[in-house]
Amino acid sequence: MNNTISRRHFLKASGITISVIVANQIVQLSPSQAYAKEAIIRVLSEAQTTTLEVFAEALVPGSRVAGISHFIDSQLAGPNEDSLLMLKYLGVPQPHAGFYQAILDALAASVKTYFDKPISELNSKQMEVLIGLINQDALEDWAGPSASFAYFVLRSDAVDVVYGVDQGFADIGVPPMHHIKPKQVW
Amino acid sequence: MNKDIDILIVGSGAAASVIAAKAALDGKNVVMLEAGPERSLNDLVSSQIWARKLKWSGAHVEEEGNLKIGNNFNAGSGTGGTSMHHYGVWPRLHDVDFTMKTDHRRGLDWPINYADLAPFYDLIQDEIGLSGDHVLEKWRPKGKDYPMPPVPTFAQGKVISKGFDKFGLDTAPIPLAINTRPRKNRRACIYDGWCDAGCPIGALGNALAYYLPRALNASTHSDNGINARIIHNATVGRVLTNKKGDKATGVDYFDQSGNKTTLTAKIVVLAAFAVQNPRILLNSASTSHPNGLANGSDLVGRYLMTHPSNTINGIFKDPTTPHLGATGGQLICQDGYDKKSKSDGAFGSYQWLIANAVKPNDLLGMANSRPDIYGEKLKPFMQTAAKHYGTMVCVGEDIPKAENRVMLSQAKDQYGLPLAKTIHNVSVETDRLINQAVQQGLDIFKAAGATDAWAGPRFGMHILGGTVMGDKPETSVTNQYGQTHEIENLLIAGPGLFPSSGAVNPTFTIHALALKSVEYLLSHWNSIAK
Ligand SMILES: Cc1cc2nc3c(=O)[nH]c(=O)nc-3n(C[C@H](O)[C@H](O)[C@H](O)COP(=O)(O)OP(=O)(O)OC[C@H]3O[C@@H](n4cnc5c(N)ncnc54)[C@H](O)[C@@H]3O)c2cc1C
Ligand code: SF4
């Protein structure tokens, strides 16, 4: 079965929603609907969003359509104390917008330096090289929080949106067994 | 309203809940000031994403050292504090943990010994309810039998225990503050592994499952009919004293809008956990206490500890159903306890918590056990892990050192109060202890049939010390009841009191010490609250 289709279908059918802004209104949509309707990204720039979606998708396939950009952006747009980002307990002081903006800008800049093209145009081999360099903190011009830490954080966020929700549990055969099911995915 | 408060407690977590319940049931008017939001058991949503709401969201803590204390992971806020998402692993400290300095010329001795604390362990065990097997748990110091049978051993525990067997090491069911049968109007565990997100059915003995409701429902003879209440979103900045500085008169707290309120009380108890308690004391400096309250010997914040810990992970041939059980684990092994001096210059006790229930995501989830796997290889790994993953964690002993401490930072919070800054380094001996344990863990996993076994990164589990108890003001901040040496009606509660860490999870001991303190306080009320 095509997983992307099944995830979209599931999220629609399950009624699990997030709050996003579409056409100047706050509405409740599933993450995949938010992604499909291009709901407004409030904190990250267009370039940062693209970098995030491409990189996260390379790390955790399915994370783009599962709504990685809306997940991170919605948390950055909300009050610090309500944040559901794992970064909250990795020792980085809030607010976290600056952290994400810095690592995404650093990522885009490194891609430009090393491959002389936008991240969305990297082929899979180049992406692998990039990830290898990031993991070893070997990108010479990297500016901002350490590259390997950035990898860990973005991968964890992408894991959250793909495997931290019921469909992800189902995909790998783990029964969710919620005591209290979340009303919204995040 | 102010003059009526008998006991003002800062925090509403594990330690606070015991003191509040016992004092309120004794007819005292108790107010708890809680920095975090109000929460009930019904707010504990079973999701590792939503579980993050329970984590610390107060003032940032700056951290340094070769093993940072990991405040934001190890602390929580809101009703019930960190206890709301703690895992309920409740072993007792051992006799030898109380005499580290005498026996090994390291760290500090406690002002009490195990026998002094044993009756309080027994009482708490009886009230909250513990499950375990006191016979198989051969390392357990003397105490009453567990009131409930142990948690079952599921496939993961059975598979891993084979590795321990092969090395002649013993395992026993893990002692848990988790109901294995319905008890005292609380339900039995259903082993779905959601403890980290908080157990909403009351099977796990967090503050909201037992002591807080008893405090909040206590109604004897105070004016409004209710003896205890919690004021939420109330961050205490300072403890106030009289001019002479020998009596605490109350506290200043800030609400969410930043408004400052002063509350006065006969007794002030700081139960804001091991980092914020010293921060509050240091931030309470005044002309009579220029270096902070209870800090005449420059000991506030010192002897900060965390248990150096390491996960061992593996993929086994046999199915493990790793989602089943309690997050804290199924089995325990303390064969590495008591003989603190080890080979190759390692020092300290350690224990294994075996076969923790795991979820796919979050810091301790399956995916993050192998952060190097990405892309197309990730899903197959997750599918295998979902059926064949196993894990255990070693909890090591820290050596208390004066230079590991909580200090005040130059940076300030939203109320203009200096932040806490912590420094925590482990010694070479401790490092060697964990290295040896990790090697043992990997060997055990291989012997148990792991096709792949790997160690996670080292991390600090639990936070302890910083306001240590002792016999003398020159060497400690409080006496054995948590009363500060300098100010009789100012008490400290929580793991900050521990003069040494042992290598067991601290919350059973936190409860026992809090019970000991409050019983002493109530029986000496007229002299202490004068
Ligand atoms: C994931 C996890 C799992 C754990 N599992 C176990 C386990 O299995 N076994 C075990 O023994 N221990 C475990 N622990 C540790 C245990 O939760 C803590 O040791 C225990 O809760 C500490 O109790 P406490 O009363 O000192 O602090 P807390 O329970 O944290 O309560 C302190 C309260 O004070 C409040 N506060 C802080 N500052 C202020 C202020 N300035 N003003 C007002 N309020 C303030 C906080 O918001 C908090 O609610 C675990 C911890 C974590 C994070
Ligand atoms: S495993 Fe047991 S204690 Fe943990 S959340 Fe589930 S029912 Fe509660």
Side-chain angles (χ1 to χ4, degrees), chain A residues 3 58-59 82 84 88-89 128 131 151 155-156 160 163-164 169 171-172 176-180 182 184-186, chain B residues 42 45-46 50 52-53 55 72-73 192 194 200 360-363 367-368 370-371 373-375 379 383 386:
Chain A
N3 280 325
L59 300 183
D82 288 344
L84 299 175
K88 181 173 167 178
Y89 46 75
E128 212 169 294
I131 292 170
Y151 165 91
R155 180 182 173 281
S156 297
D160 274 347
Y163 294 107
F169 277 55
D171 280 350
I172 59 170
M177 300 194 296
H178 302 290
H179 287 291
I180 299 176
Q184 298 180 212
V185 274
W186 52 73
Chain B
N42 290 333
V45 174
S46 309
W50 284 92
R52 294 171 192 152
K53 283 248 180 204
K55 293 283 179 189
N72 288 13
F73 182 75
D192 53 19
W194 281 114
N361 63 322
D362 204 46
L363 201 55
N368 271 334
R370 283 292 303 268
I373 297 180
Y374 66 87
K379 189 166 177 185
Q383 284 169 325

Side-chain angles (χ1 to χ4, degrees), chain A residues 110-129:
Chain A
S110 291
V111 172
K112 180 104 191 62
T113 310
Y114 279 75
F115 303 99
D116 197 25
K117 53 170 120 163
I119 192 166
S120 51
E121 289 174 21
L122 295 187
N123 62 34
S124 56
K125 197 99 216 120
Q126 289 167 323
M127 185 60 92
E128 212 169 294
V129 171

Side-chain angles (χ1 to χ4, degrees), chain B residues 61-81:
Chain B
V61 175
E62 296 175 358
E63 298 187 20
E64 283 176 16
N66 67 11
L67 189 70
K68 297 191 176 96
I69 57 161
N71 180 79
N72 288 13
F73 182 75
N74 279 315
S77 56
T79 320

